[in-house]
């Protein structure tokens, strides 16, 4: 302990002995702690205490000789480190080794106690040492490897989630497409069914109309004593006896019923067909001989349905056409008795038919 005695009288300040001459000055916590209460400064005797130069030399000597002793008396500061699963335990040994070197063997236990369970125990540090020894890599490389593994695991999980979402979206799109196709097929089937229904109704209506027409012709034939008009939906264009250059004999020998091609041609009475075929200027012709011997000629036909045999009044035997010497589709009807022509209009009227 250095003395605070005043310098001997007659000695100059520059000639005063150094700290080494008075002995080692090693201040402690008690010697440098300020006095509690009023801060009083003891009046020093002599020039040594009042000299700043000697004081500076003393401080330097104290720091150089034993100043670190004061730092050793300070309490340890706890430093907390983030805890990484499996990693903090690995790094404990290397950190403790640094503290043991710098602060001495006694400081490692204090740091472990201050850090708490986050810093890991001796077994964890031994694990890191073994891992470090086996891998031959530093703590930084181990940390980097762990981070990369974690990132890769997260990326794999994200990829699996994306794949699941993509598969779900694909299934939903397929289901939607299948539903749309089923709906389109249903609509097409409904349309086909509706078209078939309309076509069936039309066919039924046509059949009914034909049946009604036939029945009407039968009734008409019965009313007229068993006779029928030769066709329907017609227009009379040329009458018997009309003269002109269009006819080879100079005058018209029959009655023309203008009607669309294909209009049915019917037997005006019961009888039998004696001739059917091509007949020059008459085109396709059918000759029907009635029961009383009267012949009815059907000329310019487009087709012949019955070419021989007996037929009844109102039965279809051919179709209106434009074959032979004609200017348009029509039925040329002739009535012959004993080989001579007679007016068809008058003959039909005489049979009770309204031409």
């Amino acid at each position: 302990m250095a003395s605070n005695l005043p310098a001997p009288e007659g000695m100059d300040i520059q000639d005063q002995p150094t700290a080494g001459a008075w002995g080692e000055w090693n201040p402690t916590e008690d010697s440098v702690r300020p006095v509690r209460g009023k801060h009083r400064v003891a009046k020093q005797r002599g020039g040594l205490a009042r000299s700043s130069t000697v004081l500076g030399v003393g401080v330097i000597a104290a720091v150089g000789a034993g100043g670190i002793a004061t730092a050793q008396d300070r309490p340890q500061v706890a430093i907390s480190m983030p805890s990484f699963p499996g990693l903090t335990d690995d790094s404990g040994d290397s950190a403790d080794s640094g503290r043991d070197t710098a602060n001495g063997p006694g400081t490692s236990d204090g740091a472990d106690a201050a850090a708490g369970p986050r810093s890991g125990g001796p077994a964890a540090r031994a694990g890191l040492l073994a891992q470090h020894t086996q891998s031959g890599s530093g703590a930084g490389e181990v940390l980097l490897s762990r981070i990369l593994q974690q990132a890769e695991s997260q990326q794999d999980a994200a990829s699996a989630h994306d794949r699941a979402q993509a598969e779900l979206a694909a299934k939903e799109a397929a289901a939607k497409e299948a539903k749309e196709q089923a709906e389109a097929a249903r609509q097409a089937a409904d349309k086909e069914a509706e078209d078939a229904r309309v076509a069936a109704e039309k066919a039924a209506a046509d059949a009914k109309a034909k049946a009604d027409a036939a029945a009407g012709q039968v009734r008409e034939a019965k009313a007229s004593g068993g006779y029928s008009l030769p066709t329907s939906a017609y227009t009379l264009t040329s009458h018997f006896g009309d003269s002109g250059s269009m006819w080879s004999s100079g005058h018209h020998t029959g009655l023309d019923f203008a009607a669309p091609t294909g209009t049915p041609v019917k037997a005006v009475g019961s009888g039998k067909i004696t001739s059917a075929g091509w007949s020059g200027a008459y085109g396709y012709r059918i000759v029907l001989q009635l029961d009383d011997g009267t012949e009815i000629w059907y000329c310019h036909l487009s087709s012949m349905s019955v070419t021989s045999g007996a037929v009844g009044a109102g039965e279809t035997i051919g179709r209106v056409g434009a074959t032979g010497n004609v200017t348009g589709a029509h039925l040329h009807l002739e009535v012959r008795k004993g080989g001579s022509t007679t007016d068809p209009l008058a003959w039909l009227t005489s049979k009770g038919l309204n031409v």
Side-chain angles (χ1 to χ4, degrees):
M1 179 69 69
S3 177
N4 294 329
L5 295 177
E9 295 183 2
M11 183 181 293
D12 188 62
I13 296 178
Q14 287 79 4
D15 298 334
Q16 293 180 4
T18 62
W22 292 93
E24 183 179 358
W25 179 38
N26 187 14
T28 64
E29 182 178 359
D30 295 333
S31 64
V32 299
R33 181 177 299 170
V35 180
R36 295 185 178 181
K38 297 183 179 179
H39 299 280
R40 297 177 181 177
V41 179
K43 184 176 182 182
Q44 303 293 333
R45 292 175 293 175
L48 179 59
R50 293 188 296 269
S51 174
S52 60
T53 302
V54 177
L55 181 58
V57 173
V59 171
I60 294 174
V63 172
I68 197 169
T70 303
Q72 292 177 350
D73 295 335
R74 294 178 179 271
Q76 298 294 329
V77 178
I79 301 175
S80 62
M81 297 294 290
S83 177
F84 296 96
L87 180 61
T88 306
D89 295 343
D90 296 346
S91 61
D93 188 62
S94 61
D96 286 345
S97 63
R99 287 195 298 272
D100 291 345
T101 303
N103 301 332
T107 60
S108 175
D109 296 337
D112 290 339
R118 299 173 60 88
S119 61
R125 291 195 293 271
L128 172 59
L129 181 59
Q131 181 180 0
H132 176 65
T133 303
Q134 292 176 2
S135 62
S137 59
E141 294 180 358
V142 174
L143 175 60
L144 177 59
S145 177
R146 292 293 179 85
I147 292 174
L148 292 178
Q149 290 178 0
Q150 185 177 8
E152 184 177 358
S153 176
Q154 293 177 354
Q155 184 177 3
D156 292 342
S159 300
H161 178 71
D162 292 342
R163 286 194 300 270
Q165 292 294 329
E167 292 177 358
L168 179 60
K171 291 180 180 179
E172 290 178 352
K176 182 179 179 182
E177 183 178 0
K179 182 178 180 181
E180 292 177 352
Q181 291 178 355
E183 181 64 18
R186 186 189 65 79
Q187 292 179 357
D190 292 344
K191 186 177 184 304
E192 291 179 358
E194 180 65 17
D195 293 343
R197 184 186 66 79
V198 172
E201 290 180 354
K202 184 176 183 302
D206 293 342
K208 184 176 183 301
K210 291 179 180 179
D212 292 344
Q217 292 172 358
V218 171
R219 288 193 299 270
E220 183 180 354
K222 290 180 178 180
S224 60
Y227 292 91
S228 173
L229 289 174
T231 188
S232 60
Y234 60 85
T235 300
L236 297 177
T237 56
S238 296
H239 292 75
F240 178 80
D242 291 345
S243 60
S245 58
M246 294 186 297
W247 300 285
S248 58
S249 61
H251 66 277
H252 195 219
T253 57
L255 181 64
D256 289 347
F257 296 79
T261 298
T263 302
V265 172
K266 302 169 184 180
V268 294
S270 59
K272 62 180 181 178
I273 296 176
T274 57
S275 176
W278 183 260
S279 184
Y282 286 109
Y284 286 106
R285 183 190 64 174
I286 293 177
V287 177
L288 171 63
Q289 185 178 16
L290 300 179
D291 296 337
D292 61 358
T294 304
E295 292 184 347
I296 310 296
W297 288 12
Y298 301 88
C299 306
H300 309 306
L301 301 177
S302 61
S303 63
M304 297 175 292
S305 303
V306 182
T307 57
S308 63
V311 295
E315 183 178 347
T316 299
I317 59 176
R319 301 284 174 175
V320 173
T323 59
N325 184 16
V326 296
T327 58
H330 68 281
L331 169 66
H332 175 81
L333 184 70
E334 288 188 7
V335 177
R336 292 176 177 263
K337 287 183 176 184
S340 300
T341 60
T342 185
D343 186 359
L345 179 60
W347 182 86
L348 293 171
T349 303
S350 64
K351 302 301 180 181
L353 299 173
N354 186 15
V355 182

